[in-house]
Amino acid sequence: MQIVETVLALILTLGILVTLHEAGHFWVARRCGVKVLRFSVGFGKPLFSWYDRQGTEFAVAAIPLGGYVKMLDEREGPVPEELKDQAFNTKPPSKRIAIAAAGPVANFLFAIAAYWLLSVVGFTTVAPIVGEVSQGSVAERVGLTSGMEIHQVDGRRVTSWRDVNMRLLERTGEFGEVTIDVSQNGNRGTLRGALDGWSLSEDTPNPLNEFGVTPWRPDVPAVLGEISPGGRAEAGGLKSGDRVVEVSGKPVEDWFELVAFIREAPEKPLELTVERDGRMEQIRVTPAERTADDGSITGFVGAGVSEVTWPDHVLRDVSYGPLAAIPNAVSETWGDTRLTLVAIKKMVTGLLSPTNLSGPITIARIAEASVSSGFEDFIRFLAYLSVSLGVLNLLPIPVLDGGHIVYYTIEAIRRKPLSEQAQAFGLRIGMAMILTLMVFALYNDLMRL
């Protein structure tokens, strides 16, 4: 069932972003006088299609991993004399550049609109308050201590741990100084410290953890929430609402201690003392075995934690008026754009491992998680992915929109197009690069399963 939900989340996510991207090409092509033959969401054989009054076919195809806008073009087949003025290749370079750029621009505009909507509707976030600081870490060197609330990183405002993660990710591999504005007990100040080339792990980068910060969290009692059907918890007789007091005679302080006991006992019976409806009961549960990405074996029983209530003093309501939301939305979109560019640069220069590159499987898993976690998270995920799609499509690689823009710009400067041989050579290089990246991203996805 989860696989079905994940696939549906991927189709929904890519369907939205691909439709927006191709709609950008389509809209500008029409206004530049180019005849559009087909607007397809997905590749391969159309599952269904229809035509508009101008003869454009709109199709939804079987492979939901992209899409395209097919335009009338003399390079792809004979064009009737009366339609030559509507062919893409007969338009001046300026119009072809506009058409090529319209897809990525549509992605950026969608991100701005998404962030504007979130800003106007408003949302509640957990303040980035430091819980623990690891000894010998960058965080300790900077001067962060438990209880501090982070307000800015390198002069840029942060309102959540997501924001902090984004800012830290931009600084990975660097040796300069990081500045962090903090407050504690009503006092506010700025901390500074050297990064000294701190870097992220290759497989599962966690900027906060590797920076040396554990976010503050409220006490989480060992009370069970959702019980997975068919899991070991259900088989042993555990129920939602049970509070685990002891495990094999050892007292349990909180949820995280309970998880530690279970993880350390794969296929080993545990005697649980649980409080249920005001009385104590003894229940035996044998955790199932699970192998992690690094080969380690841990136990799990298929039980979630009961919902935790965050105290009001750590919650922050964020909202803007319709006009004030516009610059905030643009700023958020620029932040995502900057982060994507920095990540690409650091992968090329070796400061960020290429193993962090993700493909459709990882996107599907994140999409499923964001869809199930709520409206705000899903919209944020869509906005960030839309920006990434826009940036990647503008890279000057033949096959991508950015590569076409380079060709048309050169044509405008030279007043004649590049030779067909040069364009064909660039196309082969571009295809090889894209296919290599796709295979590598898919390999990374499979290694994370």
Side-chain angles (χ1 to χ4, degrees), residues 219-225 241-245 252-259 274 305-306:
D219 293 334
V220 182
V223 177
L224 304 183
D242 286 349
R243 182 176 182 272
V244 181
V245 179
V252 175
E253 296 295 330
D254 57 26
W255 173 261
F256 306 102
E257 196 167 27
L258 172 61
V259 170
V274 302
V305 65
S306 180

Side-chain angles (χ1 to χ4, degrees), residues 110-170:
F110 169 75
I112 292 173
Y115 283 128
W116 179 87
L117 178 62
L118 288 178
S119 299
V120 171
V121 172
F123 55 90
T124 301
T125 185
V126 176
I129 298 175
V130 177
E132 297 178 6
V133 176
S134 304
Q135 289 187 349
S137 65
V138 181
E140 183 184 54
R141 188 160 62 244
V142 169
L144 288 172
T145 59
S146 178
M148 287 182 172
E149 179 176 350
I150 300 174
H151 297 282
Q152 292 185 358
V153 177
D154 290 331
R156 299 169 65 187
R157 181 174 178 245
V158 294
T159 58
S160 65
W161 283 116
R162 173 187 177 274
D163 294 342
V164 176
N165 258 317
M166 295 288 224
R167 301 294 83 79
L168 294 179
L169 187 58
E170 293 182 13

Side-chain angles (χ1 to χ4, degrees), residues 20 60 65 448:
L20 287 166
V60 176
L65 296 178
R448 294 187 185 111

Side-chain angles (χ1 to χ4, degrees), residues 35 37 70-90 420:
K35 183 175 179 59
L37 302 178
K70 183 179 180 181
M71 292 170 270
L72 189 67
D73 196 313
E74 291 179 310
R75 296 167 299 181
E76 297 183 6
V79 175
E81 190 66 33
E82 66 274 12
L83 294 179
K84 284 189 176 181
D85 64 331
Q86 298 182 48
F88 177 79
N89 66 293
T90 64
E420 291 186 6

